[in-house]
mmCIF file of all heavy atoms in Angstrom:
data_model
loop_
_atom_site.group_PDB
_atom_site.id
_atom_site.type_symbol
_atom_site.label_atom_id
_atom_site.label_comp_id
_atom_site.label_asym_id
_atom_site.label_seq_id
_atom_site.Cartn_x
_atom_site.Cartn_y
_atom_site.Cartn_z
ATOM 1 N N LEU A 1 7.020 -175.660 66.745
ATOM 2 C CA LEU A 1 7.907 -174.984 67.691
ATOM 3 C C LEU A 1 8.977 -175.968 68.237
ATOM 4 O O LEU A 1 10.180 -175.661 68.274
ATOM 5 C CB LEU A 1 7.142 -174.413 68.854
ATOM 6 C CG LEU A 1 7.915 -173.587 69.896
ATOM 7 C CD1 LEU A 1 8.580 -172.377 69.206
ATOM 8 C CD2 LEU A 1 7.002 -173.139 71.054
ATOM 9 N N ALA A 2 8.516 -177.229 68.538
ATOM 10 C CA ALA A 2 9.506 -178.222 69.025
ATOM 11 C C ALA A 2 10.544 -178.549 67.879
ATOM 12 O O ALA A 2 11.733 -178.734 68.153
ATOM 13 C CB ALA A 2 8.831 -179.475 69.448
ATOM 14 N N HIS A 3 10.041 -178.626 66.629
ATOM 15 C CA HIS A 3 10.956 -178.921 65.497
ATOM 16 C C HIS A 3 11.956 -177.794 65.291
ATOM 17 O O HIS A 3 13.150 -178.040 65.045
ATOM 18 C CB HIS A 3 10.119 -179.107 64.244
ATOM 19 C CG HIS A 3 10.909 -179.499 63.066
ATOM 20 N ND1 HIS A 3 11.645 -180.636 62.980
ATOM 21 C CD2 HIS A 3 11.094 -178.861 61.864
ATOM 22 C CE1 HIS A 3 12.251 -180.720 61.855
ATOM 23 N NE2 HIS A 3 11.935 -179.645 61.127
ATOM 24 N N VAL A 4 11.496 -176.545 65.458
ATOM 25 C CA VAL A 4 12.409 -175.404 65.309
ATOM 26 C C VAL A 4 13.440 -175.408 66.396
ATOM 27 O O VAL A 4 14.651 -175.175 66.154
ATOM 28 C CB VAL A 4 11.619 -174.063 65.355
ATOM 29 C CG1 VAL A 4 12.572 -172.868 65.408
ATOM 30 C CG2 VAL A 4 10.761 -173.954 64.071
ATOM 31 N N GLU A 5 13.042 -175.712 67.634
ATOM 32 C CA GLU A 5 13.994 -175.817 68.732
ATOM 33 C C GLU A 5 15.061 -176.927 68.486
ATOM 34 O O GLU A 5 16.258 -176.750 68.729
ATOM 35 C CB GLU A 5 13.299 -176.067 70.055
ATOM 36 C CG GLU A 5 12.412 -174.874 70.497
ATOM 37 C CD GLU A 5 11.653 -175.188 71.768
ATOM 38 O OE1 GLU A 5 11.740 -176.367 72.206
ATOM 39 O OE2 GLU A 5 10.988 -174.294 72.313
ATOM 40 N N GLU A 6 14.564 -178.070 67.944
ATOM 41 C CA GLU A 6 15.497 -179.151 67.636
ATOM 42 C C GLU A 6 16.467 -178.745 66.515
ATOM 43 O O GLU A 6 17.672 -179.019 66.611
ATOM 44 C CB GLU A 6 14.692 -180.363 67.196
ATOM 45 C CG GLU A 6 15.584 -181.610 66.873
ATOM 46 C CD GLU A 6 14.783 -182.780 66.450
ATOM 47 O OE1 GLU A 6 13.552 -182.711 66.384
ATOM 48 O OE2 GLU A 6 15.398 -183.824 66.163
ATOM 49 N N LEU A 7 15.950 -178.031 65.487
ATOM 50 C CA LEU A 7 16.852 -177.513 64.407
ATOM 51 C C LEU A 7 17.863 -176.525 64.992
ATOM 52 O O LEU A 7 19.017 -176.530 64.529
ATOM 53 C CB LEU A 7 16.000 -176.894 63.336
ATOM 54 C CG LEU A 7 15.147 -177.870 62.495
ATOM 55 C CD1 LEU A 7 14.355 -177.090 61.432
ATOM 56 C CD2 LEU A 7 15.989 -178.945 61.811
ATOM 57 N N GLU A 8 17.453 -175.686 65.909
ATOM 58 C CA GLU A 8 18.411 -174.739 66.503
ATOM 59 C C GLU A 8 19.505 -175.468 67.243
ATOM 60 O O GLU A 8 20.667 -175.110 67.175
ATOM 61 C CB GLU A 8 17.626 -173.789 67.476
ATOM 62 C CG GLU A 8 16.727 -172.800 66.776
ATOM 63 C CD GLU A 8 17.528 -171.751 66.027
ATOM 64 O OE1 GLU A 8 18.707 -171.580 66.318
ATOM 65 O OE2 GLU A 8 16.949 -171.070 65.104
ATOM 66 N N THR A 9 19.100 -176.543 67.971
ATOM 67 C CA THR A 9 20.131 -177.327 68.681
ATOM 68 C C THR A 9 21.085 -177.997 67.704
ATOM 69 O O THR A 9 22.316 -178.004 67.880
ATOM 70 C CB THR A 9 19.425 -178.394 69.555
ATOM 71 O OG1 THR A 9 18.495 -177.780 70.434
ATOM 72 C CG2 THR A 9 20.435 -179.213 70.353
ATOM 73 N N GLN A 10 20.513 -178.562 66.602
ATOM 74 C CA GLN A 10 21.385 -179.159 65.605
ATOM 75 C C GLN A 10 22.296 -178.142 64.952
ATOM 76 O O GLN A 10 23.476 -178.441 64.637
ATOM 77 C CB GLN A 10 20.512 -179.868 64.563
ATOM 78 C CG GLN A 10 19.775 -181.078 65.084
ATOM 79 C CD GLN A 10 18.907 -181.748 64.035
ATOM 80 O OE1 GLN A 10 18.910 -181.297 62.887
ATOM 81 N NE2 GLN A 10 18.167 -182.739 64.414
ATOM 82 N N ARG A 11 21.775 -176.936 64.713
ATOM 83 C CA ARG A 11 22.560 -175.876 64.105
ATOM 84 C C ARG A 11 23.728 -175.494 65.003
ATOM 85 O O ARG A 11 24.879 -175.329 64.564
ATOM 86 C CB ARG A 11 21.680 -174.644 63.798
ATOM 87 C CG ARG A 11 22.478 -173.517 63.222
ATOM 88 C CD ARG A 11 21.595 -172.295 63.001
ATOM 89 N NE ARG A 11 22.322 -171.152 62.492
ATOM 90 C CZ ARG A 11 21.821 -169.972 62.286
ATOM 91 N NH1 ARG A 11 20.542 -169.730 62.499
ATOM 92 N NH2 ARG A 11 22.585 -168.967 61.825
ATOM 93 N N THR A 12 23.424 -175.387 66.320
ATOM 94 C CA THR A 12 24.539 -175.075 67.285
ATOM 95 C C THR A 12 25.579 -176.161 67.253
ATOM 96 O O THR A 12 26.781 -175.862 67.254
ATOM 97 C CB THR A 12 23.922 -174.905 68.682
ATOM 98 O OG1 THR A 12 22.887 -173.890 68.625
ATOM 99 C CG2 THR A 12 24.992 -174.518 69.662
ATOM 100 N N ASP A 13 25.158 -177.446 67.268
ATOM 101 C CA ASP A 13 26.109 -178.525 67.213
ATOM 102 C C ASP A 13 26.927 -178.512 65.947
ATOM 103 O O ASP A 13 28.147 -178.716 65.962
ATOM 104 C CB ASP A 13 25.383 -179.887 67.347
ATOM 105 C CG ASP A 13 24.711 -180.031 68.667
ATOM 106 O OD1 ASP A 13 25.097 -179.319 69.627
ATOM 107 O OD2 ASP A 13 23.762 -180.843 68.766
ATOM 108 N N LEU A 14 26.288 -178.236 64.784
ATOM 109 C CA LEU A 14 26.992 -178.186 63.516
ATOM 110 C C LEU A 14 27.960 -177.021 63.474
ATOM 111 O O LEU A 14 29.087 -177.154 62.925
ATOM 112 C CB LEU A 14 25.980 -178.050 62.370
ATOM 113 C CG LEU A 14 25.130 -179.314 62.075
ATOM 114 C CD1 LEU A 14 24.133 -178.992 60.988
ATOM 115 C CD2 LEU A 14 26.003 -180.477 61.650
ATOM 116 N N GLU A 15 27.587 -175.863 64.019
ATOM 117 C CA GLU A 15 28.509 -174.733 64.029
ATOM 118 C C GLU A 15 29.744 -175.058 64.900
ATOM 119 O O GLU A 15 30.876 -174.706 64.565
ATOM 120 C CB GLU A 15 27.810 -173.464 64.537
ATOM 121 C CG GLU A 15 26.761 -172.919 63.550
ATOM 122 C CD GLU A 15 26.009 -171.769 64.165
ATOM 123 O OE1 GLU A 15 26.167 -171.469 65.363
ATOM 124 O OE2 GLU A 15 25.260 -171.090 63.377
ATOM 125 N N THR A 16 29.490 -175.706 66.068
ATOM 126 C CA THR A 16 30.616 -176.063 66.907
ATOM 127 C C THR A 16 31.506 -177.069 66.180
ATOM 128 O O THR A 16 32.776 -176.931 66.216
ATOM 129 C CB THR A 16 30.060 -176.702 68.190
ATOM 130 O OG1 THR A 16 29.193 -175.760 68.848
ATOM 131 C CG2 THR A 16 31.236 -177.060 69.164
ATOM 132 N N ALA A 17 30.885 -178.088 65.558
ATOM 133 C CA ALA A 17 31.710 -179.104 64.816
ATOM 134 C C ALA A 17 32.472 -178.427 63.654
ATOM 135 O O ALA A 17 33.605 -178.770 63.357
ATOM 136 C CB ALA A 17 30.813 -180.197 64.276
ATOM 137 N N LEU A 18 31.801 -177.426 62.984
ATOM 138 C CA LEU A 18 32.475 -176.683 61.867
ATOM 139 C C LEU A 18 33.684 -175.921 62.381
ATOM 140 O O LEU A 18 34.734 -175.958 61.728
ATOM 141 C CB LEU A 18 31.470 -175.789 61.217
ATOM 142 C CG LEU A 18 32.004 -174.990 59.996
ATOM 143 C CD1 LEU A 18 32.471 -175.933 58.915
ATOM 144 C CD2 LEU A 18 30.895 -174.074 59.455
ATOM 145 N N ARG A 19 33.522 -175.266 63.535
ATOM 146 C CA ARG A 19 34.671 -174.508 64.056
ATOM 147 C C ARG A 19 35.845 -175.493 64.405
ATOM 148 O O ARG A 19 37.010 -175.186 64.144
ATOM 149 C CB ARG A 19 34.235 -173.715 65.313
ATOM 150 C CG ARG A 19 33.370 -172.500 64.958
ATOM 151 C CD ARG A 19 33.265 -171.613 66.166
ATOM 152 N NE ARG A 19 32.518 -172.264 67.235
ATOM 153 C CZ ARG A 19 31.208 -172.206 67.413
ATOM 154 N NH1 ARG A 19 30.475 -171.563 66.563
ATOM 155 N NH2 ARG A 19 30.608 -172.810 68.405
ATOM 156 N N GLU A 20 35.445 -176.607 65.032
ATOM 157 C CA GLU A 20 36.523 -177.582 65.373
ATOM 158 C C GLU A 20 37.172 -178.140 64.064
ATOM 159 O O GLU A 20 38.384 -178.324 64.032
ATOM 160 C CB GLU A 20 35.907 -178.714 66.163
ATOM 161 C CG GLU A 20 35.405 -178.285 67.542
ATOM 162 C CD GLU A 20 34.759 -179.429 68.303
ATOM 163 O OE1 GLU A 20 34.645 -180.519 67.709
ATOM 164 O OE2 GLU A 20 34.366 -179.239 69.450
ATOM 165 N N LEU A 21 36.346 -178.403 63.086
ATOM 166 C CA LEU A 21 36.872 -178.920 61.791
ATOM 167 C C LEU A 21 37.787 -177.896 61.130
ATOM 168 O O LEU A 21 38.853 -178.256 60.597
ATOM 169 C CB LEU A 21 35.731 -179.334 60.914
ATOM 170 C CG LEU A 21 36.148 -179.986 59.521
ATOM 171 C CD1 LEU A 21 36.946 -181.227 59.793
ATOM 172 C CD2 LEU A 21 34.921 -180.263 58.697
ATOM 173 N N GLN A 22 37.355 -176.643 61.124
ATOM 174 C CA GLN A 22 38.218 -175.606 60.566
ATOM 175 C C GLN A 22 39.531 -175.445 61.317
ATOM 176 O O GLN A 22 40.578 -175.264 60.697
ATOM 177 C CB GLN A 22 37.458 -174.275 60.553
ATOM 178 C CG GLN A 22 36.292 -174.230 59.558
ATOM 179 C CD GLN A 22 35.527 -172.936 59.588
ATOM 180 O OE1 GLN A 22 35.693 -172.156 60.518
ATOM 181 N NE2 GLN A 22 34.675 -172.730 58.618
ATOM 182 N N SER A 23 39.430 -175.562 62.633
ATOM 183 C CA SER A 23 40.665 -175.511 63.432
ATOM 184 C C SER A 23 41.575 -176.674 63.097
ATOM 185 O O SER A 23 42.809 -176.533 62.911
ATOM 186 C CB SER A 23 40.320 -175.520 64.913
ATOM 187 O OG SER A 23 41.506 -175.562 65.680
ATOM 188 N N LEU A 24 40.987 -177.918 62.987
ATOM 189 C CA LEU A 24 41.767 -179.061 62.608
ATOM 190 C C LEU A 24 42.386 -178.952 61.231
ATOM 191 O O LEU A 24 43.543 -179.304 60.997
ATOM 192 C CB LEU A 24 40.910 -180.339 62.676
ATOM 193 C CG LEU A 24 41.577 -181.672 62.302
ATOM 194 C CD1 LEU A 24 42.744 -181.956 63.189
ATOM 195 C CD2 LEU A 24 40.534 -182.808 62.308
ATOM 196 N N ILE A 25 41.604 -178.390 60.264
ATOM 197 C CA ILE A 25 42.127 -178.193 58.905
ATOM 198 C C ILE A 25 43.259 -177.204 58.914
ATOM 199 O O ILE A 25 44.281 -177.431 58.242
ATOM 200 C CB ILE A 25 40.981 -177.744 57.971
ATOM 201 C CG1 ILE A 25 39.997 -178.877 57.732
ATOM 202 C CG2 ILE A 25 41.528 -177.253 56.663
ATOM 203 C CD1 ILE A 25 38.745 -178.455 56.986
ATOM 204 N N SER A 26 43.110 -176.137 59.696
ATOM 205 C CA SER A 26 44.188 -175.136 59.724
ATOM 206 C C SER A 26 45.446 -175.773 60.312
ATOM 207 O O SER A 26 46.567 -175.539 59.814
ATOM 208 C CB SER A 26 43.752 -173.953 60.543
ATOM 209 O OG SER A 26 42.610 -173.358 59.975
ATOM 210 N N GLU A 27 45.289 -176.554 61.419
ATOM 211 C CA GLU A 27 46.439 -177.178 62.003
ATOM 212 C C GLU A 27 47.115 -178.182 61.058
ATOM 213 O O GLU A 27 48.337 -178.269 60.962
ATOM 214 C CB GLU A 27 46.016 -177.889 63.321
ATOM 215 C CG GLU A 27 47.153 -178.622 64.048
ATOM 216 C CD GLU A 27 48.211 -177.643 64.582
ATOM 217 O OE1 GLU A 27 47.903 -176.413 64.699
ATOM 218 O OE2 GLU A 27 49.317 -178.137 64.879
ATOM 219 N N THR A 28 46.253 -178.940 60.348
ATOM 220 C CA THR A 28 46.754 -179.909 59.370
ATOM 221 C C THR A 28 47.518 -179.241 58.241
ATOM 222 O O THR A 28 48.619 -179.658 57.828
ATOM 223 C CB THR A 28 45.652 -180.777 58.830
ATOM 224 O OG1 THR A 28 44.945 -181.383 59.877
ATOM 225 C CG2 THR A 28 46.201 -181.877 57.890
ATOM 226 N N ASP A 29 46.939 -178.139 57.715
ATOM 227 C CA ASP A 29 47.599 -177.371 56.664
ATOM 228 C C ASP A 29 48.938 -176.821 57.150
ATOM 229 O O ASP A 29 49.963 -176.812 56.443
ATOM 230 C CB ASP A 29 46.728 -176.228 56.173
ATOM 231 C CG ASP A 29 45.549 -176.755 55.341
ATOM 232 O OD1 ASP A 29 45.664 -177.869 54.830
ATOM 233 O OD2 ASP A 29 44.570 -176.050 55.232
ATOM 234 N N ARG A 30 48.956 -176.351 58.420
ATOM 235 C CA ARG A 30 50.220 -175.819 58.972
ATOM 236 C C ARG A 30 51.266 -176.902 59.068
ATOM 237 O O ARG A 30 52.430 -176.684 58.645
ATOM 238 C CB ARG A 30 49.941 -175.206 60.333
ATOM 239 C CG ARG A 30 51.184 -174.505 60.968
ATOM 240 C CD ARG A 30 50.862 -174.046 62.390
ATOM 241 N NE ARG A 30 50.567 -175.160 63.244
ATOM 242 C CZ ARG A 30 51.470 -175.960 63.794
ATOM 243 N NH1 ARG A 30 52.788 -175.769 63.557
ATOM 244 N NH2 ARG A 30 51.116 -176.961 64.560
ATOM 245 N N ARG A 31 50.869 -178.088 59.580
ATOM 246 C CA ARG A 31 51.838 -179.163 59.662
ATOM 247 C C ARG A 31 52.333 -179.619 58.269
ATOM 248 O O ARG A 31 53.544 -179.920 58.104
ATOM 249 C CB ARG A 31 51.232 -180.344 60.410
ATOM 250 C CG ARG A 31 50.943 -180.056 61.881
ATOM 251 C CD ARG A 31 50.459 -181.297 62.593
ATOM 252 N NE ARG A 31 50.190 -181.028 64.005
ATOM 253 C CZ ARG A 31 49.752 -181.959 64.857
ATOM 254 N NH1 ARG A 31 49.525 -183.201 64.423
ATOM 255 N NH2 ARG A 31 49.552 -181.657 66.132
ATOM 256 N N ILE A 32 51.418 -179.701 57.358
ATOM 257 C CA ILE A 32 51.813 -180.121 55.972
ATOM 258 C C ILE A 32 52.792 -179.108 55.402
ATOM 259 O O ILE A 32 53.792 -179.450 54.789
ATOM 260 C CB ILE A 32 50.577 -180.287 55.088
ATOM 261 C CG1 ILE A 32 49.739 -181.482 55.529
ATOM 262 C CG2 ILE A 32 50.947 -180.382 53.598
ATOM 263 C CD1 ILE A 32 48.475 -181.643 54.762
ATOM 264 N N ARG A 33 52.475 -177.794 55.599
ATOM 265 C CA ARG A 33 53.341 -176.739 55.056
ATOM 266 C C ARG A 33 54.694 -176.795 55.719
ATOM 267 O O ARG A 33 55.761 -176.693 55.038
ATOM 268 C CB ARG A 33 52.665 -175.386 55.269
ATOM 269 C CG ARG A 33 53.431 -174.237 54.650
ATOM 270 C CD ARG A 33 52.587 -172.999 54.624
ATOM 271 N NE ARG A 33 52.138 -172.653 55.956
ATOM 272 C CZ ARG A 33 50.870 -172.774 56.383
ATOM 273 N NH1 ARG A 33 49.961 -173.277 55.577
ATOM 274 N NH2 ARG A 33 50.512 -172.437 57.606
ATOM 275 N N GLU A 34 54.735 -177.002 57.046
ATOM 276 C CA GLU A 34 56.029 -177.077 57.750
ATOM 277 C C GLU A 34 56.819 -178.301 57.291
ATOM 278 O O GLU A 34 58.026 -178.206 57.034
ATOM 279 C CB GLU A 34 55.811 -177.103 59.235
ATOM 280 C CG GLU A 34 55.233 -175.835 59.825
ATOM 281 C CD GLU A 34 54.977 -175.952 61.309
ATOM 282 O OE1 GLU A 34 55.173 -177.061 61.858
ATOM 283 O OE2 GLU A 34 54.608 -174.969 61.947
ATOM 284 N N ALA A 35 56.114 -179.469 57.170
ATOM 285 C CA ALA A 35 56.831 -180.673 56.719
ATOM 286 C C ALA A 35 57.336 -180.507 55.286
ATOM 287 O O ALA A 35 58.476 -180.899 54.965
ATOM 288 C CB ALA A 35 55.930 -181.899 56.822
ATOM 289 N N PHE A 36 56.547 -179.904 54.418
ATOM 290 C CA PHE A 36 56.982 -179.685 53.058
ATOM 291 C C PHE A 36 58.186 -178.745 52.984
ATOM 292 O O PHE A 36 59.131 -178.967 52.237
ATOM 293 C CB PHE A 36 55.824 -179.159 52.220
ATOM 294 C CG PHE A 36 56.216 -178.850 50.820
ATOM 295 C CD1 PHE A 36 56.413 -179.794 49.869
ATOM 296 C CD2 PHE A 36 56.391 -177.497 50.434
ATOM 297 C CE1 PHE A 36 56.831 -179.507 48.591
ATOM 298 C CE2 PHE A 36 56.775 -177.167 49.169
ATOM 299 C CZ PHE A 36 56.980 -178.178 48.214
ATOM 300 N N GLU A 37 58.090 -177.662 53.755
ATOM 301 C CA GLU A 37 59.156 -176.658 53.711
ATOM 302 C C GLU A 37 60.511 -177.314 54.196
ATOM 303 O O GLU A 37 61.565 -177.107 53.635
ATOM 304 C CB GLU A 37 58.816 -175.477 54.597
ATOM 305 C CG GLU A 37 57.719 -174.619 53.962
ATOM 306 C CD GLU A 37 57.301 -173.478 54.837
ATOM 307 O OE1 GLU A 37 57.808 -173.447 55.996
ATOM 308 O OE2 GLU A 37 56.445 -172.644 54.457
ATOM 309 N N THR A 38 60.416 -178.109 55.311
ATOM 310 C CA THR A 38 61.593 -178.772 55.825
ATOM 311 C C THR A 38 62.184 -179.727 54.810
ATOM 312 O O THR A 38 63.367 -179.711 54.517
ATOM 313 C CB THR A 38 61.223 -179.476 57.143
ATOM 314 O OG1 THR A 38 60.695 -178.562 58.080
ATOM 315 C CG2 THR A 38 62.462 -180.143 57.725
ATOM 316 N N THR A 39 61.275 -180.563 54.253
ATOM 317 C CA THR A 39 61.748 -181.529 53.233
ATOM 318 C C THR A 39 62.308 -180.817 52.005
ATOM 319 O O THR A 39 63.327 -181.244 51.460
ATOM 320 C CB THR A 39 60.604 -182.468 52.848
ATOM 321 O OG1 THR A 39 60.075 -183.093 54.010
ATOM 322 C CG2 THR A 39 61.081 -183.560 51.912
ATOM 323 N N PHE A 40 61.648 -179.758 51.571
ATOM 324 C CA PHE A 40 62.083 -179.090 50.377
ATOM 325 C C PHE A 40 63.449 -178.422 50.583
ATOM 326 O O PHE A 40 64.339 -178.449 49.692
ATOM 327 C CB PHE A 40 61.050 -178.043 49.935
ATOM 328 C CG PHE A 40 61.490 -177.229 48.752
ATOM 329 C CD1 PHE A 40 61.441 -177.752 47.462
ATOM 330 C CD2 PHE A 40 61.974 -175.937 48.893
ATOM 331 C CE1 PHE A 40 61.857 -177.043 46.357
ATOM 332 C CE2 PHE A 40 62.381 -175.176 47.786
ATOM 333 C CZ PHE A 40 62.319 -175.767 46.525
ATOM 334 N N GLU A 41 63.625 -177.785 51.770
ATOM 335 C CA GLU A 41 64.913 -177.146 52.003
ATOM 336 C C GLU A 41 66.056 -178.172 52.001
ATOM 337 O O GLU A 41 67.116 -177.970 51.447
ATOM 338 C CB GLU A 41 64.846 -176.425 53.368
ATOM 339 C CG GLU A 41 63.941 -175.196 53.350
ATOM 340 C CD GLU A 41 63.813 -174.551 54.742
ATOM 341 O OE1 GLU A 41 64.416 -175.100 55.664
ATOM 342 O OE2 GLU A 41 63.128 -173.531 54.837
ATOM 343 N N ALA A 42 65.801 -179.356 52.689
ATOM 344 C CA ALA A 42 66.811 -180.392 52.714
ATOM 345 C C ALA A 42 67.055 -180.925 51.297
ATOM 346 O O ALA A 42 68.231 -181.123 50.859
ATOM 347 C CB ALA A 42 66.393 -181.529 53.615
ATOM 348 N N ALA A 43 65.991 -181.162 50.519
ATOM 349 C CA ALA A 43 66.152 -181.678 49.129
ATOM 350 C C ALA A 43 66.874 -180.668 48.268
ATOM 351 O O ALA A 43 67.717 -181.051 47.402
ATOM 352 C CB ALA A 43 64.785 -182.077 48.568
ATOM 353 N N ALA A 44 66.540 -179.397 48.406
ATOM 354 C CA ALA A 44 67.185 -178.371 47.606
ATOM 355 C C ALA A 44 68.691 -178.295 47.903
ATOM 356 O O ALA A 44 69.510 -178.190 46.973
ATOM 357 C CB ALA A 44 66.513 -177.009 47.824
#
């Protein structure tokens, strides 16, 4: 029972970290896309 509770706590931490990582990835992709579009428009 103690091991299951510890796994539940770790799962909650991992889900929180996953959401933060997905948010960071989305923000990074957005910045990359914006920088690429700006550079491409100027280069074109």
